[in-house]
Amino acid sequence: MSIDLLRARYEATGQGHLFSFWPQLSETERAALVTQLEALDIERVNRVYKKAISAEQGAGAAEEAIEPLPQGASDAVTTHPAKEAEWRETGLAAIARGEVGVLLMAGGQGTRLGSSAPKGCYDIGLPSHKSLFQYQAERIVRLQQVAQEETGKPVGSVIVPWYIMTSGPTRRETEEFFKTNEYFGLKPENVIFFEQGTLPCLTMDGKVLLETKSRVAVAPDGNGGLYAALRTPLSPTDKTRTVLSDLESRKVLMCTPIASTTASKQADCAAKVVPKAYPTEAVGVVARRGAKFSVVEYSEISASQAEARDPSTGELLFRAGNIANHFYTTAFLRGVAAFEDDLAFHIARKKIPHVSLPDGASVKPTKPNGMKLEMFVFDVFPYTSNFAVLEVARAEEFSPLKNAPGTGSDDPETSRRDLLAQHARFLAAAGAKVQEGVQIELSPLVTYSGEGLASVKGKTFTRSGVVSALEELDILTA
């Protein structure tokens, strides 16, 4: 596109100020700015801004009632042991048929944990010192093996592709981390990296901010940017291959073994939840907003709603704590594009460094001066045709890691404690005894969810240690 046409396009959308410093720019700077502006859908940016403002102000929309999940909308692992076994069998069969993939949102850095590296590279202090990436990679390796063995498939024939969404700042370091560690035992062709999108940072009245005279200020578009990123070409040289096309070529259907309620209920989207620990816990809950499923933030629920209990069970009515563990069919992911423009982005008002107009001085504001727009991954829930909820045991599935070491909750120490406690439960369930104070870390390569430990029955473990192979357990017995 010629510079005159590009300038005219931006003038027509009210964003012509982005060319304010054009006469001062070098040829290299001009080329960089043109590349950025050509790639930017400025008309969409304006639409997103207007819709976000309208949604925030509640323009033309009646307040919809917030209600707890209706009866029958949720299944619980803890109260359906027979169903749990059935779901596991169904899920493993789907994995063995190649219908299962994993999507990981890994765009964040470990800043709050005191690390500048991608959060997945973080070591929570396990005895093995495995990173979060390594731990999940080894769980996938083991899951492939379990599905293969339990369905009688040939060795190496079961594949669970892993799609890892990075952000711009974490992409290179994440890929290098995997290469350096030889993909932690997974085949490189089955680990697919893709990048979260960005949106320009805006002034309070919707004008795009310039970070420098030749560069637009941008920010990640939220974890809900996942859906658009699935449609973005994986390579600049091959515009036809996307995550969605890769999923479809592999004939993948999203689910996990225990969450195959999605298959049994023919759900197109589902969420795992855990019971809220107490009424005022600061966690969003899966509930109903009007006639549709939604994630309702804890701040949107009144004190009386938060305290309300089911008279027959005594359980909290708003109990389905969202843990951001979601499931989709590939068909649903493909269909998000049809209603994506109806989704309202959320506004985060921030202090955004920029250059001022018209003098071009660098500004580092001391109070919020602009906005970043982001979508949440659960914003698609109201658009599902058949939504399912699976309640799982908090101790088995949820130990958030978001606070700095030493905080005392949701930090590396609590995550490590919870994981090692789970491993002790695996051993106890298999018939072993673990003496008090003994900590045994079971590699995911040894067991995925407690299976394969029959040989420990009747044994007493008296020594702490890391177990990388089943035979190593004998070293830790009396």
Side-chain angles (χ1 to χ4, degrees):
M1 183 182 296
S2 73
I3 185 61
D4 290 336
L5 286 175
L6 188 62
R7 189 194 296 263
R9 177 185 165 202
Y10 275 79
E11 292 285 357
T13 57
Q15 304 285 3
H17 63 282
L18 297 175
F19 289 89
S20 295
F21 305 107
W22 185 262
Q24 305 171 27
L25 303 182
S26 68
E27 288 303 314
T28 300
E29 290 172 326
R30 287 181 176 184
L33 180 60
V34 166
T35 298
Q36 192 178 23
L37 295 183
E38 284 183 334
L40 184 61
D41 186 345
I42 192 61
E43 294 82 6
R44 176 176 177 264
V45 171
N46 283 352
R47 292 196 305 271
V48 164
Y49 166 75
K50 290 176 183 177
K51 191 166 185 65
I53 291 292
S54 177
E56 186 180 65
Q57 296 172 346
E63 194 68 27
E64 293 183 299
I66 296 172
E67 299 176 344
L69 291 175
Q71 286 283 5
S74 174
D75 280 311
V77 168
T78 52
T79 56
H80 295 89
K83 278 190 176 181
E84 180 181 0
E86 179 186 331
W87 295 334
R88 181 180 184 277
E89 183 179 348
T90 302
L92 289 174
I95 291 170
R97 292 193 299 269
E99 296 174 353
V100 175
V102 175
L103 277 173
L104 176 69
M105 295 180 291
Q109 294 171 299
T111 309
R112 285 197 286 179
L113 302 172
S115 169
S116 60
K119 191 174 180 180
C121 300
Y122 192 76
D123 167 12
I124 64 172
L126 286 169
S128 66
H129 293 290
K130 290 177 180 177
S131 65
L132 298 175
F133 278 139
Q134 179 174 357
Y135 204 86
Q136 182 156 351
E138 291 183 353
R139 281 176 61 79
I140 292 173
V141 171
R142 175 63 182 172
L143 185 58
Q144 292 175 158
Q145 182 183 356
V146 172
Q148 169 192 295
E149 292 173 352
E150 295 203 14
T151 60
K153 291 285 185 177
V155 174
S157 64
V158 175
I159 295 171
V160 178
W162 192 10
Y163 302 88
I164 300 175
M165 185 175 79
T166 71
S167 60
T170 64
R171 175 77 179 259
R172 183 191 61 79
E173 194 169 352
T174 299
E175 292 197 42
E176 286 300 319
F177 190 70
F178 273 77
K179 289 176 184 175
T180 299
N181 290 282
E182 298 181 328
Y183 294 81
F184 307 105
L186 293 167
K187 292 183 178 180
E189 62 266 27
N190 296 325
V191 181
I192 298 95
F193 298 97
F194 64 109
E195 196 168 311
Q196 179 180 3
T198 60
L199 280 172
C201 301
L202 306 175
T203 64
M204 298 302 186
D205 58 356
K207 298 296 184 183
V208 175
L209 286 164
L210 282 167
E211 182 181 353
T212 68
K213 293 179 181 180
S214 62
R215 185 169 63 247
V216 170
V218 298
D221 55 4
N223 54 26
L226 165 73
Y227 305 106
L230 297 177
R231 305 190 301 269
T232 303
L234 291 170
S235 165
T237 58
D238 182 1
K239 302 293 185 181
T240 63
R241 186 170 177 247
T242 64
V243 171
L244 279 176
S245 71
D246 193 80
L247 286 168
E248 290 166 345
S249 68
R250 295 174 186 260
K251 297 181 172 57
V252 165
L253 172 69
M254 291 289 151
C255 66
T256 69
I258 199 61
S260 59
T261 48
T262 55
S264 64
K265 289 192 171 184
Q266 297 184 321
D268 51 9
C269 181
K272 276 186 182 180
V273 300
V274 297
K276 286 183 68 173
Y278 49 90
T280 57
E281 184 181 11
V283 61
V285 294
V286 179
R288 298 273 284 188
R289 193 189 297 273
K292 297 181 178 181
F293 289 97
S294 183
V295 171
V296 179
E297 297 297 340
Y298 63 91
S299 57
E300 299 179 84
I301 298 174
S302 68
S304 60
Q305 286 175 315
E307 296 280 355
R309 294 181 181 273
D310 186 324
S312 61
T313 64
E315 296 175 335
L316 293 172
L317 288 178
F318 289 92
R319 62 183 268 113
N322 178 44
I323 61 173
N325 196 329
H326 305 149
F327 312 89
Y328 313 90
T329 64
T330 299
F332 178 80
L333 292 174
R334 170 69 72 183
V336 170
F339 59 79
E340 202 165 38
D341 280 350
D342 295 334
L343 299 171
F345 279 71
H346 307 271
I347 297 172
R349 290 174 172 82
K350 301 285 186 179
K351 294 178 285 189
I352 303 172
H354 62 285
V355 295
S356 63
L357 299 174
D359 60 1
S362 295
V363 179
K364 291 187 176 180
T366 56
K367 60 182 181 180
N369 64 302
M371 60 178 68
K372 298 179 180 181
L373 299 171
E374 57 185 9
M375 190 185 296
F376 299 150
V377 70
F378 51 73
D379 284 340
V380 301
F381 286 3
Y383 295 85
T384 57
S385 299
N386 193 359
F387 188 76
V389 178
L390 180 68
E391 183 181 294
V392 295
R394 179 185 286 252
E396 303 301 334
E397 304 241 10
F398 186 55
S399 183
L401 175 63
K402 56 185 180 182
N403 295 326
T407 304
S409 65
D410 300 345
D411 64 9
E413 290 83 3
T414 58
S415 292
R416 180 174 65 250
R417 175 203 68 199
D418 292 345
L419 195 57
L420 293 176
Q422 183 187 57
H423 294 180
R425 289 195 298 275
F426 287 166
L427 292 168
K433 181 180 178 181
V434 180
Q435 286 191 347
E436 187 174 351
V438 171
Q439 293 186 329
I440 297 175
E441 180 188 343
L442 299 173
S443 167
L445 299 174
V446 172
T447 184
Y448 180 83
S449 57
E451 80 292 331
L453 299 174
S455 62
V456 306
K457 186 175 182 179
K459 295 181 179 180
T460 298
F461 292 95
T462 59
R463 297 170 57 193
S464 299
V466 179
V467 176
S468 301
L470 196 59
E471 305 76 39
E472 296 174 7
L473 279 165
D474 288 337
I475 303 172
L476 306 179
T477 59

